[in-house]
Amino acid sequence: MIGQIIFIIILATAVWLFSKNVGKIRRNILLGRDTDRSDNPGERWKTMALVALGQSKMVKRPFAALMHFFIYVGFVIINIEVLEILIDGVFGSHRIFSHPLGGLYNLLIGGFEILALLVLVACVAFLIRRNIGKLKRFSGVEMTAWPKSDANYILIIEILLMTAFLTMNAADSKLQLLNYGHYIKAGSFPVSGILGPLLPDNATALEMIERGCWWFHIIGILAFLNYLPYSKHFHILLAFPNTYYSNLNPKGKFTNMASVTNEVKAMLDPSFVPEPVVVSRFGAKDVTDLTWKNLMEAYTCTECGRCTSVCPANQTGKLLSPRKIMMDTRDRITEIGKGIDKNGKDFKDDKTLLDNYITREELWACTTCNACVDACPVNINPLEIINEMRRYIVMEESQAPASLNNMFGNVENNGAPWKYSQADRFNWKEE
């Protein structure tokens, strides 16, 4: 009974802390401007199923896709085993699903063990690739000590959790053979059975190992759950809503501001009466000028570097890194959220996303090629943030580069980006 009470307290505390931290992230995301992503629900469900659930964009890198698939499937399916552990912890039972599931239970436990082994293999492979192979896309100015450590912490935690799970099963299976206490004969142990000879034969020692691994496994999972809101691994939860609310427009289609569109329509048609539109700012200077979807994407970023690795500007040595754009956006909105927690909802500081986090040189290095958008495995769109900040620089500050100002002038005067008049536009064909 004491064990059950302790378990319930730990479980309730973990759930409360997780809910509190997720609530803060939700609050931070909703600090962004509103945008409507409720159209075409059928297409959105299809996109989420293919990209988030089906991992369709991962296959461009086959080895990483296979290893990630092992971890992904293992994480999803082994949670059934976690559900049994939670019920056992609350009610003081042991392998409560074994009786109602019958022979299917053996199949499930055996499958869980194989998946746990595959997760171990994948995590070790990823650790080697990240720390010994030193892939270029895992480095960059934005990949400071914390992002690098965060990735390693996640892999090490998953290795420890799977090791505890298999060791727990190995001790449990030996206790079953000894007919010890409440350890009923249930489950199939194709992987942990190999570990059996490494464990002692004494029943008391085996029970201590089984109970110790049981507590370590479930407390580790609850601790990991509360680590997620502070980690890039939060994408395992946000990937689904993020892909559901994907931009369904063709890549490269720019958004128009309603206020500017109405002005143009009024100029072309004097009878046009525009609806009043409140404009607080053209473009984005700080994260609160971005949409909630942009901020959700910032929290969804996996920091995998696929976007930066295909960015032509980054490849030619320019400062732009699409991954850094997303990480800076997340850091800035998190900073504002902490300020609100400390000082109230009217918190203001003297920082902005533009200049304090993201430089103008980074923004103007972008070629708007959409390579980063196409490469992201969870449909994040760094280009939207870049374009909104450019829009602010041009429309609010009138500080576009000279080459762009020349182009703007030519469009206004000649109806084309070039310096030639419309009458001379086709002179090239005479040459």
Side-chain angles (χ1 to χ4, degrees), residues 256-264 274-275 277-279 282:
N256 294 320
M257 295 188 67
S259 57
V260 178
T261 301
N262 287 339
E263 286 186 21
V264 174
E275 295 181 3
V277 177
V278 178
V279 181
F282 293 103

Side-chain angles (χ1 to χ4, degrees), residues 207-272:
E207 184 179 27
M208 290 179 63
I209 293 172
E210 191 275 336
R211 286 291 86 191
C213 289
W214 187 93
W215 280 101
F216 179 86
H217 184 63
I218 192 59
I219 291 177
I221 288 174
L222 295 175
F224 184 60
L225 181 71
N226 280 280
Y227 177 69
L228 291 182
Y230 301 97
S231 164
K232 76 183 188 72
H233 214 53
F234 200 54
H235 75 270
I236 65 177
L237 300 179
L238 282 184
F240 293 92
N242 192 73
T243 51
Y244 178 84
Y245 292 114
S246 296
N247 186 355
L248 300 181
N249 293 319
K251 291 183 178 65
K253 181 178 180 180
F254 287 89
T255 58
N256 294 320
M257 295 188 67
S259 57
V260 178
T261 301
N262 287 339
E263 286 186 21
V264 174
K265 288 180 178 179
M267 291 170 60
L268 297 175
D269 181 8
S271 65
F272 175 76

Side-chain angles (χ1 to χ4, degrees), residues 29-138:
I29 290 173
L30 293 179
L31 292 174
R33 292 188 296 104
D34 189 29
T35 184
D36 185 12
R37 293 289 176 92
S38 61
D39 59 317
N40 299 318
E43 184 67 20
R44 294 190 178 280
W45 282 109
K46 180 181 176 182
T47 301
M48 185 179 73
L50 288 174
V51 178
L53 188 63
Q55 309 279 290
S56 61
K57 297 182 75 173
M58 292 289 294
V59 297
K60 293 181 179 179
R61 300 173 189 261
F63 178 79
L66 181 63
M67 294 297 104
H68 190 274
F69 178 77
F70 290 160
I71 296 176
Y72 170 68
V73 173
F75 173 83
V76 172
I77 296 180
I78 292 176
N79 276 335
I80 300 173
E81 174 264 342
V82 174
L83 177 60
E84 182 182 51
I85 290 179
L86 291 175
I87 295 174
D88 286 342
V90 171
F91 294 100
S93 54
H94 185 71
R95 296 195 177 275
I96 194 170
F97 288 164
S98 61
H99 180 68
L101 294 179
L104 179 60
Y105 187 77
N106 291 343
L107 181 63
L108 283 175
I109 296 299
F112 294 159
E113 291 211 341
I114 293 172
L115 286 173
L117 178 62
L118 292 176
V119 170
L120 279 171
V121 170
C123 288
V124 170
F126 279 151
L127 275 175
I128 292 173
R129 289 173 79 243
R130 184 171 290 273
N131 297 287
I132 298 178
K134 296 188 181 298
L135 295 187
K136 184 178 179 180
R137 67 185 174 95
F138 293 146

Side-chain angles (χ1 to χ4, degrees), residues 308-325:
T308 296
S309 69
V310 300
C311 175
N314 187 272
Q315 290 175 357
T316 55
K318 295 181 174 63
L319 287 183
L320 176 63
S321 168
R323 173 174 56 192
K324 180 179 179 294
I325 298 293

Side-chain angles (χ1 to χ4, degrees), residues 146-179:
W146 167 245
K148 289 184 177 181
S149 299
D150 179 34
N152 287 327
Y153 293 158
I154 292 166
L155 294 171
I156 292 170
I157 289 170
E158 290 182 350
I159 289 173
L160 292 174
L161 291 177
M162 293 303 102
T163 301
F165 169 65
L166 292 173
T167 306
M168 175 188 73
N169 279 354
D172 194 306
S173 65
K174 293 193 73 170
L175 287 166
Q176 290 180 26
L177 294 175
L178 294 173
N179 293 315

